[in-house]
Amino acid sequence: MTTLANRPNTALLVVDVQNDVVARAHARDRVVAKIAGLVDGARRSGVPVVWIQHADADLPTGSEGWRIVAELVPADGEALVAKNYGDAFEDTTLEPTLAELGVGHLVVVGAQTDQCVRSTIHGGFTRGYDVTLVADAHTTEDLSQWGAPPPVQVIAHTNLYWSHQSAPGRTARTPMTAEVVW
């Protein structure tokens, strides 16, 4: 149960599935295909799809690397939220967009697991949203040369700890794509 009043709806948040963000991502094609299936299912069920698109000095707005991957195409009328920080709520139009849609439950997919996905799920949860992280529809690149665990472990750990999150009046879940019911 969300703690946000009059927000009974669900939205699918597609976080940073951009060319350069997923270029070296673990299981890129499989994860993008899972996300595409979730986007199609959400659309068929009338669930809003909200696209999150990161930009910074290394990912300049309008560049080829900044573009959403060719396999995923935002539909006319779907919200596109530009961001410059890990948390998609931070200094963006995401909150007013979700409020207008009456959304209190977020289903989150995308990249990178240990950066923008993690920041956004925490950001939503602390703001009162119920947050579902789809366990097999997020990914990250291998950052082990900088001390991070391998991508498989980063993804597994994120799924593990998110499945045990709790807070008053909010839920956190980690279903597989096949278990997502709109």
Side-chain angles (χ1 to χ4, degrees):
M1 299 291 296
T2 180
T3 61
L4 302 170
N6 302 313
R7 305 277 284 271
N9 299 328
T10 296
L12 174 64
L13 258 59
V14 182
V15 178
D16 299 352
V17 188
Q18 298 163 251
N19 290 325
D20 280 2
V21 176
V22 298
R24 293 168 301 286
H26 170 73
R28 180 230 184 261
D29 294 342
R30 180 185 57 76
V31 171
V32 170
K34 297 275 186 189
I35 293 169
L38 288 161
V39 168
D40 290 344
R43 287 174 177 160
R44 280 193 309 274
S45 298
V47 171
V49 179
V50 178
W51 301 86
I52 310 298
Q53 195 168 19
H54 189 83
D56 60 26
D58 296 324
L59 195 61
T61 300
S63 67
E64 187 57 32
W66 168 85
R67 297 188 195 299
I68 294 171
V69 297
E71 299 95 322
L72 300 173
V73 180
D76 289 340
E78 290 178 339
L80 182 59
V81 175
K83 72 176 183 67
N84 302 111
Y85 301 100
D87 181 352
F89 287 91
E90 198 64 46
D91 196 28
T92 70
T93 61
L94 182 56
E95 173 53 35
T97 297
L98 296 171
E100 184 177 313
L101 296 167
V103 170
H105 175 215
L106 307 175
V107 176
V108 180
V109 299
Q112 302 232 18
T113 298
D114 45 349
Q115 295 176 37
C116 297
V117 168
R118 194 176 287 177
S119 295
T120 299
I121 61 177
H122 283 284
F125 201 65
T126 61
R127 286 172 175 88
Y129 290 88
D130 291 327
V131 180
T132 297
L133 175 64
V134 183
D136 58 347
H138 62 97
T139 188
T140 193
E141 65 185 308
D142 188 346
L143 301 174
S144 58
Q145 67 181 344
W146 293 283
V152 171
Q153 290 177 349
V154 169
I155 293 163
H157 178 254
T158 302
N159 289 336
L160 174 68
Y161 86 73
W162 197 253
S163 69
H164 292 93
Q165 286 296 310
S166 63
R170 285 160 277 165
T171 61
R173 297 180 50 236
T174 55
M176 301 297 275
T177 297
E179 300 168 323
V180 173
V181 177
W182 302 110

